[in-house]
Amino acid sequence: MDKKRIEAAVTEILLAVGENPEREGLKETPKRVAKMYEEIFSGLHDDPARHLKIFHEPEQHNELVIVRDIPLYSVCEHHLLPFIGAAHIAYIPQKGNIIGLSKFARIVDCFARRPQVQERLTAQIADFLFENLEPYGVAVIIEAEHLCMTMRGARAAGSKTQTSALRGIMRTDAKSRSEVMALLTGSGR
């Protein structure tokens, strides 16, 4: 990450909007923003596979596993404003392959820490889990509020966008899809 270049760009933005980057409250802002970008875009230089720990259980667990309300913070690539929400993940293990539950949060965070659109983020998480866990099926639902809709444009504060990505039997089997969607969207809780 080229923090000096980010600092110079932030200084230019401050000048372009009519601010004085030398003003007391803004003197350190370019450095703070560069440090913040290094943190919130760290997923650009992170491999989600490093967070993957698959356990090969001798017992063939093949029942639905759900992890709900995984906190999610990302940045919309269209306006560079945050979107904040939660990811809900379900999978049905196969071949004894199960994952440590905390790894779901790390994988979500890794993909979220990139300039993103919610639709792609949802699909990336589902594809990654489906390819690496080799489960019968995976479902990922993300619900998020986009500050680009809250702060500007439509100014629709409180509105949430929901996206889903279904893989394997979660997509192809109507009964499995119905069960998981009811549980993940709240009507089956």
Side-chain angles (χ1 to χ4, degrees):
M1 185 100 23
D2 189 343
K3 291 199 291 192
K4 288 294 180 194
R5 192 169 177 189
I6 294 169
E7 289 176 33
V10 171
T11 300
E12 283 301 311
I13 290 170
L14 290 170
L15 289 167
V17 299
E19 262 293 358
N20 174 7
E22 294 303 313
R23 172 167 76 73
E24 186 59 36
L26 293 176
K27 280 184 184 178
E28 299 297 316
T29 296
K31 285 182 183 170
R32 285 190 294 267
V33 171
K35 188 174 179 182
M36 175 193 67
Y37 277 3
E38 181 178 48
E39 181 181 341
I40 67 174
F41 294 135
S42 63
L44 288 167
H45 310 288
D46 194 3
D47 180 1
R50 80 179 183 91
H51 303 291
L52 195 62
K53 172 119 175 134
I54 298 173
F55 298 96
H56 303 284
E57 292 290 313
E59 303 88 34
Q60 296 295 309
H61 302 287
N62 60 3
E63 299 298 327
L64 187 60
V65 177
I66 296 176
V67 180
R68 294 187 47 78
D69 300 319
I70 300 167
L72 178 130
Y73 309 93
S74 194
V75 175
C76 170
E77 66 185 37
H78 296 151
H79 297 98
L80 294 182
L81 286 171
F83 61 95
I84 301 163
H88 315 297
I89 299 173
Y91 79 108
I92 300 174
Q94 181 177 216
K95 302 178 188 173
N97 292 346
I98 62 172
I99 183 174
L101 298 177
S102 68
K103 303 308 181 194
F104 285 116
R106 295 183 190 283
I107 291 165
V108 167
D109 192 54
C110 184
F111 282 112
R113 288 183 179 273
R114 303 170 181 188
Q116 278 288 12
V117 294
Q118 184 173 328
E119 297 86 345
R120 181 187 323 116
L121 175 60
T122 309
Q124 284 175 333
I125 295 165
D127 290 341
F128 177 80
L129 293 171
F130 192 67
E131 291 165 13
N132 287 282
L133 282 175
E134 301 179 54
Y136 287 109
V138 170
V140 177
I141 293 180
I142 293 178
E143 300 173 281
E145 181 174 357
H146 291 249
L147 268 62
C148 56
M149 275 187 63
T150 299
M151 296 175 63
R152 54 156 304 282
R155 293 196 177 119
S159 68
K160 293 204 172 162
T161 301
Q162 188 175 69
T163 50
S164 68
L166 307 173
R167 304 294 183 263
I169 67 167
M170 304 292 195
R171 174 182 270 178
T172 60
D173 179 65
K175 185 177 177 189
S176 296
R177 181 175 56 250
S178 179
E179 176 186 6
V180 78
M181 293 304 282
L183 290 168
L184 288 178
T185 59
S187 60
R189 282 196 277 172

